[in-house]
Amino acid sequence: MKTEQKPDYMVIAESVMFNADWKQALDILTASLRSFFLFDNMALYLKENDQINLVDVVYARAMGRGKSAEADVDWGLEVAMSVLESGNTLIKKPGSATPRDQRISFPYFLGLPLRTPNGIIGVLVFVRFGGPTYTQEQVADARFLAAQFASMFERKQLYEQVAALQDARRQIGLQEDFIATISHELRTPLGFIKGYTTTLLRPDTKWDDATRNEFLTIIDEEADHLTSLIDHMLESARLQSKTLVMNFQPVRLDALLRDSVLRIQARYKDLKVTSDAGASPVVVMADSVRLTQVFHNLFSNAAKYAPGSPVHVHVSQHEDFQRIEFIDEGPGIAPEHLGYIFDKFYRVPGYGTSGSGLGLFICGQIVKAHHGVLSVKSEVGKGTTFIIDLPLNYPG
Ligand code: ADP
């Protein structure tokens, strides 16, 4: 094996420093490696809960050898384990001289620990079949490379920890908001119910029929509101613990949509809905009750958050999925909120309308249980479109 060029330390360091995508950085590092350090195979092992896992195997067939060994991704595991145990660089040579025609059975291993201030996080292993062994200079270069890998993975772990922390913090914030919202939300209808009931029961006053009816209607509506709030909370808890059972059956989409439209128009008398679902009737595998619930939620949201706007339901068939779009011409949702509206408890600030921030989360989970996708497009001042994509070939 001839002596190779010196490594381009700058290229290596920069690719580690500036590449946010660690796989890409790994590709660059491996490519630059080949100009100064020849090997048949290279593998990276990372430690995880004191176990060692192969994270990525980067094969560089520099010499066109070792093809059969490539099939076995565990080839460097033993060396990796020894390096992890000793904490030192390890060169492992085959026992006897190398016959030229059987190079594959004579591997020369080089194992290097990936060291960070918090200890060894993994091992980098090279193999050359049939030698030659590694020179001191090559070992020094490989150490430099291992240090780069180590800092890259340390950075990756740090990024992941920061992202997890941010996520946890956001969840806690949402939960706290939710408790504040939900106690307010539960108290408001209860307050109405209690207030009007007490009024009606006052022994010193006699109410005429019209007033009594009006009060009872309010009590009735508020009780419904309370029920739906509690249902939402229970349902999202069930969805989260995966105890919600789906009952899949072939369902006529146009019929399901027609029913939903009738129901929503009974509730929101002024809501204008147009639909082209009847033009091309399709059958999808669905839980009709759950899917109706999604439609109902999207219609109610349009009525609540895009008041006065018509809603158009557009149905289109694609190669392997069925698309159902709910298009409104309301105020839209600002881009900074759009990414969060399917999150549990998330409500766009500034809307006084009652709600729990659970509706779209539940819809998303139901569509997901149908192996579909719920997404949204929105433009402030123009309107919002919710898109349900359901697979056509899902067996149910
Ligand atoms: P909520 O119980 O608050 O209605 P959802 O999860 O159903 O909760 O919706 C989340 C948020 O998304 C709502 O608070 C609202 O701000 C926004 N939103 C939902 N649908 C629309 C729509 N059609 N137009 C504008 N904003 C919407």
Side-chain angles (χ1 to χ4, degrees):
M1 199 175 283
K2 68 179 170 54
T3 315
E4 300 86 8
Q5 310 159 10
K6 284 306 294 170
D8 190 335
Y9 297 110
M10 272 318 284
V11 168
I12 294 175
E14 277 179 4
S15 72
V16 171
M17 293 280 291
F18 303 123
N19 217 319
D21 177 347
W22 65 275
K23 286 215 175 202
Q24 213 170 31
L26 207 67
D27 287 346
I28 298 173
L29 285 182
T30 315
S32 67
L33 190 67
R34 289 168 74 168
S35 64
F36 69 92
F37 190 95
L38 293 184
F39 56 89
D40 290 306
N41 281 329
M42 172 185 119
L44 259 175
Y45 296 86
L46 279 197
K47 217 163 93 172
E48 211 176 85
N49 309 325
D50 277 337
Q51 296 274 320
I52 191 138
N53 287 320
L54 189 71
V55 280
D56 207 2
V57 187
V58 185
Y59 293 112
R61 266 160 276 168
M63 307 300 286
R65 284 182 277 170
K67 284 206 169 80
S68 61
E70 277 166 22
D72 176 10
V73 290
D74 284 342
W75 59 266
L77 193 60
E78 210 184 300
V79 175
M81 292 306 285
S82 312
V83 172
L84 208 60
E85 242 163 65
S86 70
N88 294 322
T89 298
L90 174 77
I91 296 178
K92 195 172 158 210
K93 299 179 200 172
S96 52
T98 314
R100 284 194 144 273
D101 54 342
Q102 290 173 33
R103 283 182 165 153
I104 200 79
S105 338
F106 294 89
Y108 285 69
F109 290 107
L110 172 60
L112 306 126
L114 302 185
R115 239 183 261 285
T116 72
N118 296 323
I120 296 174
I121 57 162
V123 183
L124 175 64
V125 185
F126 293 100
V127 65
R128 286 174 174 170
F129 293 107
T133 192
Y134 306 87
T135 65
Q136 266 191 352
E137 203 183 350
Q138 285 171 339
V139 172
D141 283 342
R143 273 204 177 127
F144 170 75
L145 198 81
Q148 303 301 314
F149 277 151
S151 86
M152 196 169 79
F153 282 106
E154 198 192 17
R155 211 164 43 124
K156 177 176 166 274
Q157 279 174 355
L158 281 175
Y159 277 143
E160 284 166 0
Q161 281 164 6
V162 169
L165 270 176
Q166 279 171 342
D167 210 46
R169 200 183 296 166
R170 211 169 55 78
Q171 271 300 332
I172 291 170
L174 287 175
Q175 304 262 15
E176 280 169 359
D177 285 354
F178 174 70
I179 291 168
T181 314
I182 211 73
S183 33
H184 170 77
E185 292 297 333
L186 293 175
R187 278 218 181 95
T188 313
L190 264 180
F192 277 115
I193 294 169
K194 177 75 186 155
Y196 282 101
T197 315
T198 311
T199 312
L200 281 173
L201 287 174
R202 268 169 64 171
D204 54 342
T205 323
K206 211 156 170 36
W207 303 101
D208 59 60
D209 278 359
T211 316
R212 210 181 46 231
N213 238 342
E214 189 192 328
F215 287 1
L216 284 172
T217 309
I218 295 172
I219 293 171
D220 190 45
E221 282 173 3
E222 293 302 325
D224 282 351
H225 182 194
L226 206 56
T227 311
S228 100
L229 259 175
I230 293 168
D231 284 351
H232 265 181
M233 284 171 65
L234 287 179
E235 186 131 296
S236 64
R238 254 184 254 133
L239 276 164
Q240 223 171 1
S241 62
K242 300 206 164 50
T243 51
L244 194 82
V245 181
M246 294 280 167
N247 178 19
F248 291 108
Q249 272 168 352
V251 171
R252 281 268 309 259
L253 203 55
D254 54 323
L256 207 63
L257 275 163
R258 204 176 40 239
D259 284 353
S260 297
V261 173
L262 286 175
R263 247 187 269 178
I264 199 72
Q265 281 178 326
R267 168 111 195 256
Y268 297 96
K269 303 241 166 4
D270 298 333
L271 185 70
K272 289 208 166 28
V273 183
T274 54
S275 165
D276 58 18
S280 51
V282 283
V283 173
V284 288
M285 286 305 284
D287 179 322
S288 58
V289 175
R290 298 283 167 214
L291 202 55
T292 304
Q293 189 184 342
V294 175
F295 297 163
H296 189 81
N297 215 308
L298 296 179
F299 279 134
S300 323
N301 275 358
K304 283 196 293 186
Y305 303 110
S309 153
V311 182
H312 179 60
V313 182
H314 176 51
V315 170
S316 55
Q317 196 163 351
H318 298 251
E319 197 179 331
D320 50 3
F321 66 91
Q322 178 68 39
R323 177 164 282 186
I324 312 151
E325 287 166 286
F326 291 73
I327 307 159
D328 72 48
E329 294 162 20
I333 304 167
E336 64 269 32
H337 299 297
L338 209 54
Y340 298 115
I341 58 165
F342 295 110
D343 286 4
K344 223 181 346 162
F345 312 136
Y346 195 84
R347 307 198 66 221
V348 176
Y351 284 93
T353 325
S354 61
S356 60
L358 289 173
L360 285 177
F361 168 75
I362 294 172
C363 291
Q365 298 292 311
I366 293 175
V367 174
K368 200 165 146 198
H370 282 80
H371 299 253
V373 180
L374 175 63
S375 57
V376 63
K377 280 190 306 200
S378 190
E379 208 176 316
V380 174
K382 290 225 160 128
T384 306
T385 300
F386 283 94
I387 305 154
I388 303 173
D389 287 336
L390 292 177
L392 280 172
N393 299 320
Y394 172 58

